[in-house]
Amino acid sequence: MLTIGKSSRRSFLKGTAAVAGAAITGARAGFAEGPSIAPPLRQFTYGDVQLLDGPAREQFDRNHAFYRGLNEDSLLKPFRERSGVPAPGEEMGGWYSWAPLRDLDKPGDNGFAPCHSFGQYVSGLARDYAATGDSATQEKVHRLVRGLGEAISAHFWDDNRFPAYTYDKICIGMIDAHEFAADAQAFAVLDAALNSVQKYLPPGGLSRAEQAERPHRDDSFTWDEPYTVPENAFLAWQRGAGSRYKDLGVRCLADNWYWNPLAAGENVLPGKHAYSHVNAMSSAMQAYFALGNEKYLRAARNGFDFVRAQSFATGGWGPDESFRVPGSGDLAASLTNTHSSFETPCGSYAHFKITRYLLRTTKDSRYGDSMERVFYNCILGAKPIKEDGHGFYYSDYNNDASKFYHPYKWHCCTGTFSQITADYGISSYFQDNEGVYVNLFVPSRVTWNRGRHRIVLTQQTEYPHRPTTQIEVSPEKAESFSVFVRIPEWAGAKTSIAVNGKKGEGTPYPGQFARIHRTWKKGDRIEVEFDMPTRLEAVDPQHPKLMAAVHGPLALFAVGDVPATVRAAELTSVAQVTPGSTDWQARTDSGVIAMRPFTAIHDEHYRLYLNVES
Ligand SMILES: [Zn+2]
């Protein structure tokens, strides 16, 4: 039997119904041995999901090969130098190596944050190993963990601007090495790292303003990010590293200046550093899971809504890495006064995490819509990292924009880049007892057990360049369960779902998961055809005529000559040159405007927002 209908989901939006679907799994908050809340949607393991040929797989493979090739002596060198053990190998330079503090502004070799990204590289590789089973990757993770264990010392933290930040990344590296690469030493090394940094950590989840009130060497010593520590600390505790990690998580919760006002609906984002404060929202989610206090869920949900309200058409946010005052028109101003529009690998990584947490908790498919915008318009279009450590950092939405590398090597975005591509698979599907949720439309295969039977779901698609996806469901034996397919909120009335060539009854409802329930047999095929409208989105409410063309999830960038103004009807008539192409054209009175999605832009200049007349 086939039913395609609405899944129940809207009720979470207001009030306490938010947690109706969540299971209470532990004892009283603070005394539970395990987390208090288990979100209703579960993640698959990294090994369950395999990316198939396509742009996501290509970026995953490229990053896996790149980070697997990093020189281990160079990665460990700044740790070893401070502990007095032999430190062979070349310096990596850029942010990663030690340099005299006065060299802060020396381009390319500034010693800004020694070893800041070590743990992220370990984390990314551990996840890559879990996704691929590549034993060389696992062995590298084990060598790096052992190397850190031998080289970590309290002296490492002397003159270090970012003890909380760097420790937090070490934490995710060690717990991922333990969880995903079966590293038996990783918890012991994590303990050693925490022992070494303990007296250097701030007393709690201090804001930048609070850090500025304390004695500090210069401004850069007030930019540590202790408010992001709880996510990985709670995860460490959940994965069995010990109760001291839960205590650390609780200690670093930024209740007074961040979670309390956000939970009360007060927008405290303006002026704050963008990436770290979105990243911190994942700390609120882990606090909600660990402690069972719904305040943290409210804070994360409200905070993310405030971010969405000041996002670009691409889904990116935070020009010059800062949030703006609503109503200020600052987003439009940024189109002429900066080229640093969105910190792309870090911001996308934080965006994927918070949308994954919120989607799993609320089952609201619109968090998946938000994730896919950032996927296709931001991170998938990031330039590849170069051998020498120069990496993509800012997406540029300036009226005269281009793609460029950051001048400093081995910056923060080289750390998160290794993690986010590893996460593409686990972001694509989720599951609950009813069945499987298809969240991202990427060529991929997910395999899992339902009862005693193995089920394989294979997705083939060129989405969003073609408005369709084909999903084959193959259970070992006929099996009854539901496949939930995300129908984006922008989807038009002609969106349809067919099973084995037969269109179902009812209309897939935009902004919800469509539920397809039946007894599945080997080789059953689902075909989804999305009615993808082109719409225009203003950069901010103060500049309603400064608009970007968005087709389905895809923002379109004008390349080449752009007329001073264009009519709305001309811009919405933009069409692919041939079906499936990444070349688009809008015909206007003053000629043809060539347009492309972010992934298809290379060295050409481009423009996202055009002056539109009605
Ligand atoms: Zn970054």
Side-chain angles (χ1 to χ4, degrees):
M1 187 200 73
L2 169 66
T3 57
I4 299 175
K6 303 175 184 180
S7 66
S8 62
R9 52 165 264 308
R10 293 233 176 228
S11 57
F12 84 92
L13 284 170
K14 298 278 178 215
T16 54
V19 293
I24 307 296
T25 61
R28 290 166 295 166
F31 297 95
E33 284 307 307
S36 292
I37 301 285
L41 291 188
R42 301 187 295 275
Q43 274 181 198
F44 284 97
T45 69
Y46 286 91
D48 290 341
V49 189
Q50 185 192 0
L51 298 173
L52 303 176
D53 285 352
R57 173 62 186 261
E58 211 172 283
Q59 201 180 38
F60 172 95
D61 282 345
R62 199 189 300 123
N63 272 2
H64 182 197
F66 177 84
Y67 291 100
R68 191 179 49 195
L70 289 181
N71 184 290
E72 291 159 33
D73 281 330
S74 298
L75 284 172
L76 290 163
K77 194 177 178 78
F79 291 120
R80 289 170 169 166
E81 284 172 333
R82 282 300 176 95
S83 64
V85 300
E90 302 245 317
E91 279 199 355
M92 288 171 61
W95 284 25
Y96 199 86
S97 299
W98 291 106
L101 293 176
R102 65 178 177 280
D103 286 357
L104 178 61
D105 294 325
K106 196 169 138 197
D109 189 20
N110 64 11
F112 183 52
C115 290
H116 64 101
S117 47
F118 175 87
Q120 294 172 303
Y121 302 146
V122 175
S123 161
L125 285 167
R127 297 174 190 187
D128 287 344
Y129 163 68
T132 61
D134 175 58
S135 57
T137 303
Q138 184 187 32
E139 286 157 20
K140 188 180 189 81
V141 169
H142 289 191
R143 286 193 301 273
L144 287 170
V145 170
R146 202 163 55 237
L148 176 65
E150 289 162 2
I152 189 74
S153 82
H155 291 304
F156 177 74
W157 308 103
D158 293 337
D159 298 333
N160 194 316
R161 292 180 180 83
F162 302 106
Y165 181 104
T166 306
Y167 162 74
D168 178 54
K169 312 314 177 206
I170 289 175
C171 181
I172 191 65
M174 296 306 106
I175 66 174
D176 281 359
H178 174 90
E179 183 86 2
F180 306 128
D183 190 315
Q185 294 187 38
F187 281 171
V189 176
L190 177 64
D191 281 342
L194 183 54
N195 293 342
S196 74
V197 76
Q198 199 76 267
K199 76 175 166 111
Y200 298 83
L201 288 179
L206 303 187
S207 65
R208 283 190 172 188
E210 288 169 331
Q211 293 176 63
E213 284 162 15
R214 293 156 55 89
H216 56 274
R217 188 190 291 252
D218 64 44
D219 249 18
S220 67
F221 279 78
T222 68
W223 300 343
D224 204 4
E225 298 171 6
Y227 41 89
T228 66
V229 164
E231 182 192 12
N232 295 328
F234 285 127
L235 270 172
W237 165 69
Q238 274 179 42
R239 293 181 186 176
S243 61
R244 69 189 296 213
Y245 295 96
K246 185 184 184 188
D247 297 342
L248 177 66
V250 170
R251 188 181 106 196
C252 290
L253 284 171
D255 281 0
N256 62 331
W257 61 271
Y258 204 29
W259 306 131
N260 291 345
L262 280 184
E266 187 189 336
N267 187 353
V268 288
L269 290 181
K272 289 198 166 51
H273 178 245
Y275 158 60
S276 62
H277 289 83
V278 174
N279 193 32
M281 289 171 196
S282 290
S283 281
M285 290 306 293
Q286 280 295 344
Y288 167 60
F289 299 153
L291 309 174
N293 183 340
E294 210 193 312
K295 169 179 85 177
Y296 296 110
L297 173 59
R298 270 202 315 276
R301 232 173 39 200
N302 291 343
F304 188 71
D305 283 347
F306 293 138
V307 172
R308 260 198 299 208
Q310 56 173 290
S311 293
F312 293 102
T314 59
W317 33 260
D320 289 326
E321 298 191 36
S322 90
F323 286 117
R324 306 311 172 102
V325 177
S328 64
D330 268 9
L331 241 49
S334 80
L335 303 179
T336 51
N337 66 24
T338 188
H339 292 272
S340 307
S341 307
F342 176 47
E343 185 186 352
T344 297
C346 287
S348 302
Y349 182 61
H351 200 102
F352 264 55
K353 278 195 301 168
I354 187 61
T355 49
R356 238 179 8 244
Y357 282 130
L358 287 168
L359 174 58
R360 288 176 56 207
T361 303
T362 64
K363 294 190 179 181
D364 185 340
S365 64
R366 290 171 301 172
Y367 293 117
D369 297 358
S370 180
M371 182 194 286
E372 81 166 355
R373 261 202 193 210
V374 165
F375 184 44
Y376 295 116
N377 300 316
C378 303
I379 189 61
L380 209 51
K383 279 166 115 51
I385 187 167
K386 289 183 179 173
E387 284 301 318
D388 67 358
H390 280 99
F392 192 69
Y393 191 116
Y394 293 119
S395 290
D396 182 0
Y397 306 142
N398 192 283
N399 288 341
D400 179 18
S402 62
K403 284 189 179 176
F404 56 89
Y405 285 93
H406 196 274
Y408 293 177
K409 297 190 291 183
W410 305 115
H411 48 65
C412 50
C413 287
T414 69
T416 43
F417 202 20
S418 78
Q419 294 174 294
I420 188 168
T421 52
D423 285 354
Y424 286 164
I426 58 146
S427 305
S428 300
Y429 302 95
F430 301 93
Q431 61 177 324
D432 66 8
N433 293 340
E434 271 192 83
V436 61
Y437 289 70
V438 181
N439 181 48
L440 294 182
F441 307 117
V442 286
S444 53
R445 175 174 297 134
V446 57
T447 308
W448 75 104
N449 287 324
R450 187 171 172 84
R452 284 175 297 140
H453 296 141
R454 200 111 185 104
I455 295 166
V456 181
L457 184 154
T458 306
Q459 189 178 187
Q460 294 288 1
T461 182
E462 289 174 55
Y463 180 97
H465 307 300
R466 290 180 192 272
T468 58
T469 189
Q470 287 85 35
I471 299 166
E472 187 188 274
V473 186
S474 269
E476 218 165 39
K477 283 194 152 183
E479 180 82 28
S480 172
F481 61 94
S482 298
V483 176
F484 297 87
V485 178
R486 181 175 56 83
I487 305 299
E489 197 163 31
W490 46 254
K494 290 186 187 142
T495 298
S496 67
I497 298 177
V499 176
N500 297 334
K502 211 175 131 194
K503 289 202 175 167
E505 291 168 21
T507 311
Y509 196 85
Q512 295 196 1
F513 282 102
R515 176 173 179 257
I516 311 162
H517 185 85
R518 63 187 266 129
T519 300
W520 299 96
K521 296 185 198 68
K522 200 167 270 187
D524 278 345
R525 288 180 344 270
I526 304 170
E527 281 156 10
V528 187
E529 205 166 317
F530 298 95
D531 178 1
M532 261 191 203
T534 300
R535 59 211 186 275
L536 303 182
E537 293 190 3
V539 63
D540 58 32
Q542 290 67 47
H543 301 84
K545 294 184 173 173
L546 205 44
M547 301 184 108
V550 184
H551 180 78
L554 213 51
L556 295 171
F557 298 74
V559 294
D561 291 335
V562 177
T565 60
V566 54
R567 283 187 292 117
E570 293 169 340
L571 197 51
T572 49
S573 71
V574 65
Q576 280 163 308
V577 173
T578 54
S581 171
T582 53
D583 280 318
W584 293 68
Q585 288 184 341
R587 296 182 188 284
T588 75
D589 287 347
S590 32
V592 169
I593 306 174
M595 305 189 87
R596 278 174 202 150
F598 198 58
T599 48
I601 289 174
H602 299 283
D603 296 324
E604 64 274 39
H605 282 228
Y606 59 86
R607 178 171 173 158
L608 177 56
Y609 288 96
L610 308 183
N611 293 308
V612 175
E613 298 168 338
S614 47

